[in-house]
Amino acid sequence: WAIANTGDTGQSLGYPTTAGFDTGAPYAWEVATGEGVVVAVIDSGVQLDHPDLADRIAVNAADPCGDGRDDDGNGFVDDCRGWDFGANDNDPSPGTTASNDYHGTHVAGIVAAGRNGVGVAGVAPDARIMPLRVSTVNGGITVSRVVAAIQYATDHGADVINLSLSTEIGRA
């Protein structure tokens, strides 16, 4: 309902809404759709096979997936679709144990879900997502992992960095 709010409560799970209080994205799409823009989503991971996102994931063609080598010499082996700074591996998919594991997927959808007739559309449906997971299996986030992810994003061509994290004091 945030893309084009008609005021219909069916759009908002029964909650009252006001028509027109939305992003106005369809008007923006007449000017730009995010084509050529890479958005780093530094978060809890992104579901790489999500039907609205699978074709929106930025690919590092210089380091092909699955060959077990650091082909581009950047210190990250097979970082073909982002990086997991929590597990220090090449799978930036969400974990399965923390309650916020799919926040990164949600954020990526708001940004770039494709206008494919399935699910939702993002505000920049032609942008690419660079998934960078910074949480661990217990959902913990450290400043050092966030800093490393920001550095990775800037070094690897992100045009925009989305960092919408929350954590509890005392968690590692």
Side-chain angles (χ1 to χ4, degrees):
W1 64 270
I3 296 290
N5 185 355
T6 65
D8 180 357
T9 57
Q11 288 183 299
S12 59
L13 302 175
Y15 292 98
T17 66
T18 303
F21 278 58
D22 52 43
T23 64
Y27 301 109
W29 293 336
E30 294 174 14
V31 177
T33 59
E35 186 173 353
V37 175
V38 175
V39 179
V41 174
I42 300 174
D43 210 299
S44 60
V46 174
Q47 184 182 343
L48 301 175
D49 63 352
H50 190 286
D52 285 333
L53 298 172
D55 66 348
R56 310 289 359 123
I57 303 299
V59 175
N60 176 5
D63 199 352
C65 292
D67 68 3
R69 295 190 314 257
D70 180 13
D71 298 294
D72 59 4
N74 66 0
F76 300 93
V77 175
D78 290 346
D79 61 322
C80 55
R81 297 181 300 172
W83 193 256
D84 182 342
F85 289 89
N88 196 32
D89 65 29
N90 65 353
D91 183 5
S93 300
T96 58
T97 57
S99 62
N100 64 349
D101 278 342
Y102 287 91
H103 185 263
T105 300
H106 178 81
V107 168
I110 291 170
V111 173
R115 293 180 292 176
N116 58 5
V118 178
V120 299
V123 294
D126 292 324
R128 298 280 180 205
I129 298 296
M130 177 188 294
L132 301 174
R133 184 171 186 231
V134 292
S135 59
T136 60
V137 293
N138 69 359
I141 299 168
T142 65
V143 172
S144 62
R145 286 195 300 270
V146 172
V147 169
I150 292 169
Q151 186 66 57
Y152 181 98
T154 59
D155 289 348
H156 291 82
D159 299 294
V160 176
I161 295 174
N162 181 90
L163 184 61
S164 57
L165 303 173
S166 67
T167 188
E168 297 174 26
I169 295 177
R171 291 186 77 176

